[in-house]
Amino acid sequence: MRCSRLLLQRSNALALYRRSVNTWSAVGAAFNVQHQRLEPLQKNVGLFGVPELSGPAGFQMAQHQALREAEFLVHKACTHPPGAVTVETFDQLSDSLCRVADLADFIKVAHPDAAFREAAERTCVEIGTLVEILNTNVDLCQSLKNLLGNEAVLATLDSDTRRVAELFMFDFEISGIHLDESKRSKAVALNVKLLDLYHEFLSGSQLPNAIDKQVLPEHIRHCFSIDGNRVQIGGLHADSPNELVREAAYKIFLYPNTSLLLCLDELLAGRHELATLVGYESFAHRALKGTMAKTPGKINRATSRDFKMMKEMKKKTHTTNPEVMPWDHAYLSSAIRTEMFNIDPSIYSPYFSLGACMEGLNRLFMQLVGVYFQAEQPKMGELWSEDVRKLAVVHETEGLLGYIYCDFFRRPDKPHQDCHFTIRGGRLREDGVYQLPVVVLMLSLPPPSGRTPSLLTPSMVENLFHEMGHAMHSMLGRTLYQHVTEIIFYPLPENLVSRLCESKRVCSAADTQLQIFYAALDQVYHGKPQYRSTTDILREVQEKFYGLPYVHDTAWQLRFSHLVGYGAKYYSYLMSRAVASMVWRQCFLQDPFSRVMGEHYHREMLAHGGGKEPVLMVQGMLQKTPTIEDFVDALVLDLNANVKSPVL
């Protein structure tokens, strides 16, 4: 369970926490002013301070070094007597490869220089291939079996070490270690092929679609990017007040791409073949046991109420099509909130400078868990873009916890996605020194200009809190092994805060239903083969789980990039929301800034990383073992609290 979802709930209370502020701290100022150029005569320290990465060729050097280290550690693991050192060696092996692969995984999508991106991509493929080979290495697996099969040795291990050993063994099992040599080789080949398909699908899912500009009505062409006689449409334009713009963007951006459809077919087929090869009924069975795809009727009824409100709102726009269509969902929801509570983003943005939000997060973390940010001056070559900010995360008594690189601002060719990247996991090194975690947060915020700071909309603030929750989970986790690892918005009037909080209750059921649709589609795609097109499956699942009709000649699944990273696990968004709801209501509702509960949350949930079973962490936090019914009830309770029936 990560803290990002809980931070969103606490952010509403945060805006009511008042204290006079006359000047910005160094943290607030760092994000409210334009970047300062580094002195060109400084020594180039390489990306993230890795000396080899002062140029693209450095990836090959870092890769070769990681491969040599891996070879040594594999030999050590296979020849050393079973004991705690076995697990430590496995973790060293994982860390040596992940330190290079994780960094490359970020650079291949975020670096503005194509040479860096291409070099990083090649490194990802090479390291990924080696990982798949190691996951079917019989001698390496046997060294772990010797440990797990020796009860006397196991009794000497602490619970974290035993858990990590079991996780490594699980990796072997799902990779087909039990198969004969020919089938193991086939499993490796399938995994390597899937790595290529993942890259192809993710790249294709981000590309715009182009259409002859003559096809579009002249009066809406200016809403899109025009390249000669072609119009480039790279998004849904879901917030546009012009219905025709929304409809055109939806139909063109989601128009089926034949080669990408074939790629997705091959990807899903490859995952199923791999799963059955290693002994699972489907890829979904391999990825998880149990799911929240079975949704209660209570949510469906609340969703119907939301769609009725949207239909009434659409009538007021003098539309030619009175039915609510998929391209209307986001816009009509926003229009209802604006009409009911007058929460036009332009009213709030002057209060939500990025510096103010970061200062607010800084104070929140200090209040709850005794942690604060320090703005640091990066060195030459450390950053991939000059507008990136570097934060040190410091505990009031424990000292430096790690670093967060904040890649927050829009720039040409930067992916338009909000996400969190682990660059280096935290772990206790062999010399007794803790390896500090390093992460990157990537957002798409407007940059500051001159004396004007970056001003955020309420939805941007939510995204910032969500992604910072991921980062702080990495910072606050203190595991032995990396394998598991004032007024804030002053002087914002209280009535504006109240209206913003109330507005979040509008159409929340429809938004939840959309997430259920995504989770259900993910499950069906990764279940038993359907022997029909992914678009036909999409149409059926959408009609069953969403409530708005499928639009002919569209293929939304080709923009569902989460299919790669969250294959058969997209439901975890709903699960996290349910857990956050339970934790919020039981532990923080009465006092959102309780240091006692903040420390309890840190101790029971955040500190373990992946070194403890998630259900045990929730059990420790709530002092009860939640059932699947508890998770569903928590979602429904949120909807019942959020849904009101206003008269439009």
Side-chain angles (χ1 to χ4, degrees):
M1 165 62 188
R2 300 187 183 275
C3 62
S4 53
R5 176 67 65 178
L6 196 61
L7 278 177
L8 289 183
Q9 296 185 331
R10 191 176 284 112
S11 65
N12 295 332
L14 192 62
L16 296 173
Y17 181 50
R18 295 177 174 266
R19 191 173 176 184
S20 178
V21 174
N22 295 318
T23 59
W24 291 113
S25 72
V27 171
F31 289 89
N32 269 354
V33 298
Q34 289 182 298
H35 66 270
Q36 296 181 345
R37 293 184 179 274
L38 301 175
E39 291 296 331
L41 297 180
Q42 289 183 3
K43 179 183 178 181
N44 189 322
V45 300
L47 291 168
F48 298 102
V50 179
E52 294 87 351
L53 299 184
S54 58
F59 274 102
Q60 189 170 19
M61 289 187 287
Q63 172 188 316
H64 287 164
Q65 182 177 338
L67 296 182
R68 286 197 301 270
E69 187 175 352
E71 184 178 2
F72 167 77
L73 291 170
V74 168
H75 180 265
K76 180 180 178 181
C78 293
T79 57
H80 200 281
V85 69
T86 305
V87 183
E88 293 167 4
T89 304
F90 267 79
D91 193 66
Q92 282 181 264
L93 175 59
S94 174
D95 181 61
S96 67
L97 296 174
C98 288
R99 280 203 316 269
V100 178
D102 289 346
L103 191 156
D105 196 47
F106 168 71
I107 292 299
K108 75 178 184 182
V109 299
H111 204 289
D113 188 332
F116 269 97
R117 295 197 302 271
E118 291 165 4
E121 172 61 29
R122 290 192 294 270
T123 292
C124 286
V125 171
E126 290 297 324
I127 298 291
T129 300
L130 176 61
V131 169
E132 299 306 334
I133 292 173
L134 292 177
N135 281 340
T136 55
N137 184 310
V138 175
D139 293 335
L140 192 61
C141 179
Q142 187 60 50
S143 69
L144 198 59
K145 285 183 177 179
N146 293 340
L147 170 67
L148 293 173
N150 190 322
E151 292 296 332
V153 175
L154 275 182
T156 67
L157 304 183
D158 60 63
S159 59
D160 284 349
T161 302
R162 184 178 300 196
R163 162 114 174 116
V164 172
E166 291 169 348
L167 288 174
F168 278 121
M169 181 55 71
F170 178 72
D171 288 341
F172 280 119
E173 290 170 351
I174 65 173
S175 298
I177 194 66
H178 54 284
L179 303 174
D180 61 40
E181 184 175 356
S182 64
K183 289 183 178 179
R184 288 199 307 274
S185 298
K186 185 176 181 180
V188 170
L190 278 171
N191 272 310
V192 172
K193 179 182 178 181
L194 283 169
L195 290 175
D196 291 334
L197 291 170
Y198 295 158
H199 176 65
E200 181 183 348
F201 183 78
L202 287 174
S203 299
S205 69
Q206 303 295 323
L207 294 177
N209 274 344
I211 192 171
D212 192 292
K213 69 180 182 181
Q214 301 301 323
V215 175
L216 289 178
E218 187 173 359
H219 70 281
I220 68 168
R221 293 175 193 168
H222 70 280
C223 297
F224 308 108
S225 175
I226 299 178
D227 183 13
N229 291 322
R230 306 281 285 175
V231 172
Q232 299 274 351
I233 298 183
L236 294 174
H237 292 253
D239 296 326
S240 173
N242 188 316
E243 181 182 5
L244 187 56
V245 169
R246 298 196 306 273
E247 180 179 357
Y250 189 94
K251 290 181 176 179
I252 297 170
F253 185 61
L254 299 184
Y255 189 79
N257 178 306
T258 302
S259 63
L260 206 57
L261 283 170
L262 292 174
C263 174
L264 180 58
D265 286 341
E266 199 171 354
L267 188 159
L268 296 175
R271 279 180 165 175
H272 181 74
E273 184 179 1
L274 176 64
T276 55
L277 177 65
V278 299
Y280 289 87
E281 188 175 338
S282 69
F283 187 82
H285 285 82
R286 180 178 182 262
L288 57 97
K289 294 181 180 180
T291 172
M292 289 189 66
K294 296 181 179 179
T295 56
K298 293 178 182 178
I299 295 180
N300 291 329
R301 289 195 293 274
T303 301
S304 297
R305 182 165 56 241
D306 286 354
F307 286 142
K308 183 178 180 181
M309 290 168 57
M310 291 183 198
K311 189 170 184 177
E312 292 298 318
M313 174 57 73
K314 192 169 183 180
K315 288 180 181 178
K316 297 181 180 182
T317 65
H318 307 290
T319 178
T320 56
N321 180 5
E323 297 302 317
V324 178
M325 301 299 290
W327 55 78
D328 294 323
H329 183 142
Y331 172 73
L332 292 178
S333 297
S334 177
I336 294 169
R337 295 182 185 112
T338 299
E339 180 176 279
M340 290 172 56
F341 300 104
N342 188 23
I343 57 154
D344 189 283
S346 63
I347 297 175
Y348 287 87
S349 289
Y351 300 102
F352 290 163
S353 74
L354 176 57
C357 296
M358 293 302 295
E359 182 64 23
L361 283 165
N362 196 23
R363 297 184 181 198
L364 172 62
F365 292 130
M366 186 63 195
Q367 176 70 25
L368 286 174
V369 291
V371 168
Y372 58 92
F373 298 144
Q374 284 184 342
E376 289 215 346
Q377 179 70 16
K379 297 178 181 178
M380 178 62 65
E382 186 177 355
L383 306 180
W384 52 100
S385 179
E386 291 181 334
D387 58 2
V388 175
R389 310 299 201 261
K390 180 183 179 183
L391 293 178
V393 182
V394 184
H395 190 274
E396 59 187 358
T397 59
E398 298 174 16
L400 183 62
L401 298 181
Y403 295 99
I404 302 175
Y405 289 82
C406 302
D407 189 354
F408 283 173
F409 303 119
R410 300 167 186 157
R411 61 178 178 268
D413 298 326
K414 178 183 176 181
H416 294 289
Q417 57 186 14
D418 298 338
C419 49
H420 159 270
F421 292 86
T422 297
I423 303 300
R424 185 177 69 200
R427 63 183 290 267
L428 186 63
R429 296 190 325 208
E430 297 64 48
D431 58 5
V433 176
Y434 197 83
Q435 175 175 288
L436 299 178
V438 176
V439 303
V440 173
L441 293 189
M442 190 161 69
L443 303 176
S444 298
L445 303 179
S449 176
R451 297 177 61 87
T452 303
S454 176
L455 301 178
L456 312 188
T457 65
S459 63
M460 291 176 182
V461 175
E462 285 198 7
N463 287 345
L464 171 63
F465 271 64
H466 176 92
E467 298 302 336
M468 189 57 73
H470 287 301
M472 292 306 292
H473 187 248
S474 296
M475 296 296 111
L476 293 171
R478 272 298 179 267
T479 61
L480 294 176
Y481 306 101
Q482 72 86 34
H483 188 67
V484 292
T485 142
E486 293 165 16
I487 291 187
I488 304 301
F489 309 118
Y490 186 81
L492 183 61
E494 188 168 335
N495 70 315
L496 289 185
V497 177
S498 298
R499 278 158 38 195
L500 182 61
C501 294
E502 287 291 316
S503 72
K504 291 174 63 63
R505 300 175 178 177
V506 176
C507 297
S508 59
D511 294 339
T512 300
Q513 195 69 49
L514 184 60
Q515 290 296 309
I516 291 171
F517 159 50
Y518 294 162
L521 182 66
D522 177 41
Q523 286 294 306
V524 175
Y525 277 164
H526 290 100
K528 294 181 179 179
Q530 300 281 316
Y531 302 110
R532 53 191 176 131
S533 74
T534 55
T535 302
D536 286 341
I537 295 172
L538 170 74
R539 180 189 296 110
E540 180 180 291
V541 175
Q542 182 169 336
E543 290 173 353
K544 182 177 180 180
F545 287 100
Y546 186 16
L548 296 182
Y550 166 78
V551 178
H552 180 66
D553 264 346
T554 62
W556 177 84
Q557 72 272 23
L558 299 184
R559 303 296 181 177
F560 193 14
S561 58
H562 285 77
L563 286 174
V564 171
Y566 283 77
K569 295 180 181 178
Y570 191 86
Y571 78 97
S572 61
Y573 278 100
L574 291 168
M575 187 73 80
S576 295
R577 176 178 168 183
V579 172
S581 175
M582 289 188 280
V583 172
W584 170 259
R585 292 178 185 280
Q586 180 171 320
C587 305
F588 291 100
L589 183 61
Q590 299 305 316
D591 183 2
F593 305 100
S594 168
R595 182 63 175 266
V596 172
M597 279 300 170
E599 294 288 1
H600 181 58
Y601 182 51
H602 181 191
R603 184 173 59 254
E604 294 294 339
M605 301 194 77
L606 300 181
H608 300 287
K612 188 176 181 180
E613 287 283 354
V615 70
L616 296 179
M617 289 190 279
V618 176
Q619 181 182 5
M621 188 69 196
L622 301 177
Q623 297 300 301
K624 62 173 287 190
T625 303
T627 64
I628 192 66
E629 289 75 19
D630 292 328
F631 292 130
V632 174
D633 288 345
L635 287 176
V636 175
L637 185 60
D638 258 4
L639 293 180
N640 289 339
N642 288 342
V643 172
K644 292 187 176 181
S645 299
V647 178
L648 297 180

